[in-house]
Amino acid sequence: MRELTSDERQELRRELAAVAADWAQRLKNSDLDTRGGAAQESSSEERMLTHLARMAVGEQMRRLLTDLVSASAEEAVQYGAGYPELGAAVGASRQAARKRWPGLSISKRRASEWRQPPGSIGWAGSHLGYPGPPGT
């Protein structure tokens, strides 16, 4: 997968900021409704509340995105992805992906797909000087 270009990152940032601002406004409005339409706040207090609401929404977005990424990793594994592919998708190494998602059943499923050559010791054993199966 390719990285987003600078322009694409900026566009995504603007779209996320718009979503966060919309949800922050909803939170502020519902908070005012529960306070019974409190007296008009000062301009600086209003700005502070706006930024605090954006922070709250941004943190919720971060948690939801983390859940989304983890769910996507689990689904990718079901379709054949391994730790190298998961790491590449998030710009990390295979080892970092394994540390981030340790509970995925990648190794068992992939190991069952590996094909061993005839004989019980396999290719590596014959090349490392181990004796072959009895009768060879």
Side-chain angles (χ1 to χ4, degrees):
M1 256 155 281
R2 70 175 179 83
E3 288 283 320
L4 294 176
T5 66
S6 178
D7 290 341
E8 290 170 329
R9 278 194 303 279
Q10 284 298 96
E11 181 181 351
L12 183 56
R13 184 185 313 265
R14 281 190 299 274
E15 289 175 10
L16 287 173
V19 170
D22 178 53
W23 278 95
Q25 189 62 44
R26 292 182 195 191
L27 288 178
K28 275 181 46 186
N29 289 343
S30 67
D31 190 37
L32 287 175
D33 291 344
T34 59
R35 290 192 288 170
Q40 187 71 8
E41 287 130 3
S42 72
S43 177
S44 64
E45 187 175 354
E46 175 70 21
R47 288 182 182 148
M48 177 192 68
L49 292 174
T50 296
H51 290 291
L52 291 173
R54 282 189 200 163
M55 287 175 62
V57 169
E59 187 58 32
Q60 288 296 317
M61 289 171 71
R62 181 194 324 259
R63 291 178 190 157
L64 291 170
L65 287 170
T66 297
D67 293 345
L68 176 67
V69 170
S70 292
S72 293
E74 290 173 13
E75 291 172 17
V77 166
Q78 292 174 1
Y79 290 100
Y83 286 119
E85 293 85 4
L86 296 179
V90 296
S93 66
R94 173 192 60 81
Q95 295 88 344
R98 187 173 184 156
K99 187 174 181 180
R100 185 170 176 180
W101 297 291
L104 297 180
S105 58
I106 291 174
S107 59
K108 290 179 188 174
R109 194 177 70 64
R110 282 214 158 169
S112 70
E113 294 173 356
W114 293 341
R115 303 234 190 275
Q116 289 290 329
S120 62
I121 195 127
W123 177 87
S126 64
H127 282 74
L128 296 175
Y130 294 110
T136 58

